[in-house]
Amino acid sequence: MGVLILFFGLFLLAGWAVALGWFGYASSVLWRVRTQPWVRTDGHPCAPLLLPTPAYLRFDKALAVAALLADLWLLSGIVLFGTEGIFTEDWMGYPGMMDPAGQGYQAEAVDTLRTTAWWSASVAVLGRCWTTAFVQLTVLPLLSALWVASFDTYYN
């Protein structure tokens, strides 16, 4: 129980550096593949739109990991700040004093996670980063929004 909070705490402290480092790696991948073709020229007319080249697919995978790390950092912040008197889940332990200013915290956190998921997935679709869009819509932001929405609070 405390191990999960410790994980979120450590990721909140160092996760921004990990996410920025991986965004730097994704940028370096993009820089290395700049001379290679990004669009397929053979096959069906829809192939250039739907099927990226292997070079662009490497960038897409690196960007998906970076987005996932950034989402995990955001979720860590939401969970840890919510333990200060808002969430009362058993695995969190005693959350502290009740804070009347935190009544809308859970709803705002869920809205932030959903908004992050839809905006990041939309930008990924515009950039033809299909793996990143899939990760943003299925893996962390929307599932974590449902998870945070299921927490017991003092105000429910």
Side-chain angles (χ1 to χ4, degrees):
M1 291 186 229
V3 175
L4 192 60
I5 291 297
L6 178 66
F7 169 75
F8 282 129
L10 291 175
F11 204 85
L12 179 66
L13 293 176
W16 62 271
V18 173
L20 283 178
W22 201 270
F23 274 118
Y25 173 73
S27 299
S28 73
V29 169
L30 185 64
W31 181 257
R32 283 183 302 202
V33 300
R34 73 186 186 284
T35 59
Q36 298 175 7
W38 287 15
V39 178
R40 291 185 188 268
T41 56
D42 56 337
H44 193 273
C46 291
L49 177 66
L50 298 176
L51 301 172
T53 61
Y56 196 72
L57 194 57
R58 281 193 298 274
F59 166 69
D60 187 15
K61 289 177 185 175
L63 187 62
V65 171
L68 189 68
L69 289 170
D71 293 336
L72 188 58
W73 178 73
L74 178 63
L75 177 64
S76 296
I78 287 170
V79 169
L80 284 180
F81 291 130
T83 59
E84 296 298 321
I86 297 163
F87 299 139
T88 60
E89 289 292 314
D90 293 335
W91 57 270
M92 290 183 184
Y94 180 68
M97 298 176 57
M98 291 191 318
D99 182 10
Q103 287 181 338
Y105 179 80
Q106 185 178 25
E108 291 170 7
V110 170
D111 186 48
T112 300
L113 288 168
R114 286 181 184 159
T115 303
T116 300
W118 289 111
W119 274 102
S120 58
S122 299
V123 169
V125 165
L126 287 176
R128 293 185 317 113
C129 296
W130 307 121
T131 307
T132 305
F134 177 76
V135 166
Q136 289 300 99
L137 288 177
T138 58
V139 177
L140 189 63
L142 293 179
L143 292 178
S144 60
L146 291 172
W147 184 55
V148 169
S150 71
F151 286 173
D152 289 333
T153 64
Y154 279 116
Y155 308 104
N156 285 357

